[in-house]
Amino acid sequence: VDPDDYTRFLEGIKTLTPTEKKIFEYYLEGKSVKEITEIASIKESTLRYHNQNIYGKLGVNSLKQLLRYAALMKEEK
């Protein structure tokens, strides 16, 4: 894991909108795309839109990378 990328990830969390934060938290809880769309009452296309914004703000390219950084974040706390 690149330390600069990880720092960007941590800084990016502060810039998430309330909706993006909620979706981010659902992923941290291990929820699937299907579960998130049901809980948040949104379409999959809307979730993809939020994911794009979240990935951009956190500097990640995939859910796998997001979860890897999130795991590191949890270890540090």
Side-chain angles (χ1 to χ4, degrees), residues 1-28:
V1 174
D2 183 314
D4 292 337
D5 289 347
Y6 180 61
T7 300
R8 180 176 174 201
F9 172 83
L10 294 175
E11 290 298 313
I13 292 171
K14 300 172 193 167
T15 68
L16 298 177
T17 66
T19 301
E20 292 165 351
K21 268 195 183 104
K22 199 73 196 146
I23 289 170
F24 177 69
E25 288 168 13
Y26 289 143
Y27 282 125
L28 297 186

Side-chain angles (χ1 to χ4, degrees), residues 23 27 33 37 42-55:
I23 289 170
Y27 282 125
V33 167
T37 57
I42 57 175
K43 294 180 180 175
E44 197 171 324
S45 58
T46 304
L47 180 59
R48 278 197 301 270
Y49 172 79
H50 288 306
N51 285 348
Q52 269 186 320
N53 292 334
I54 292 167
Y55 292 179

Side-chain angles (χ1 to χ4, degrees), residues 63-77:
L63 181 58
K64 184 177 178 181
Q65 190 179 16
L66 181 150
L67 294 174
R68 187 179 313 131
Y69 286 165
L72 272 177
M73 186 177 71
K74 280 184 182 175
E75 281 178 24
E76 288 182 351
K77 288 188 177 177

